[in-house]
C-alpha cells in the first residue's frame, strides 16, 4: 500500500519522487566518506575518521529507507566507520 505516481511508480513517503540514480549517487558519496575514514584511521587521525563516517551516514540518511542497498551501506557506516 505504498503511494504511487500517475504512471504507477512507487513513491517513497520519506523522500517523495526521486530522479533515476539518486540513491546511487548518495551511496557513492558514502563510499568516499568511508574511504576517508579508513585512510584516516590508518594514519592515526581518529577525529578525521569520525568526520568521514558521520558524513557517510548523513548522506545515506537522505536516501530512501526502502532501499536494501542503502540499508546495507548505512549499517556498514555505523558498524565500521570512525571507531578508533
Amino acid at each position: 500500500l505504498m503511494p504511487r505516481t500517475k504512471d504507477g511508480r512507487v513513491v517513497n513517503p520519506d523522500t517523495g519522487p526521486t530522479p533515476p540514480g539518486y540513491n546511487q549517487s548518495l551511496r557513492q558519496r558514502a563510499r568516499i566518506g568511508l574511504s576517508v575514514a579508513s585512510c584516516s584511521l590508518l594514519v592515526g587521525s581518529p577525529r578525521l575518521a569520525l568526520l568521514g563516517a558521520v558524513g557517510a551516514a548523513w548522506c545515506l540518511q537522505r536516501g530512501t529507507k526502502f532501499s536494501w542497498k542503502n540499508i546495507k551501506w548505512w549499517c556498514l557506516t555505523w558498524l565500521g566507520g570512525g571507531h578508533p
Side-chain angles (χ1 to χ4, degrees):
L1 296 303
M2 298 287 293
R4 297 184 180 271
T5 61
K6 291 180 182 177
D7 61 354
R9 292 184 306 152
V10 172
V11 176
N12 294 309
D14 56 344
T15 59
T18 57
Y22 176 76
N23 287 324
Q24 183 178 11
S25 67
L26 292 177
R27 284 191 300 271
Q28 186 64 31
R29 291 178 193 161
R31 285 183 189 109
I32 292 169
L34 289 175
S35 298
V36 167
S38 298
C39 292
S40 299
L41 286 174
L42 286 174
V43 297
S45 180
R47 288 186 182 171
L48 185 58
L50 179 63
L51 288 175
V54 168
W58 180 75
C59 283
L60 291 175
Q61 284 294 111
R62 295 175 46 207
T64 60
K65 307 291 187 283
F66 300 107
S67 168
W68 286 109
K69 289 181 183 177
N70 279 7
I71 291 170
K72 177 185 77 170
W73 279 99
W74 187 80
C75 288
L76 276 173
T77 299
W78 283 110
L79 292 176
H83 296 290

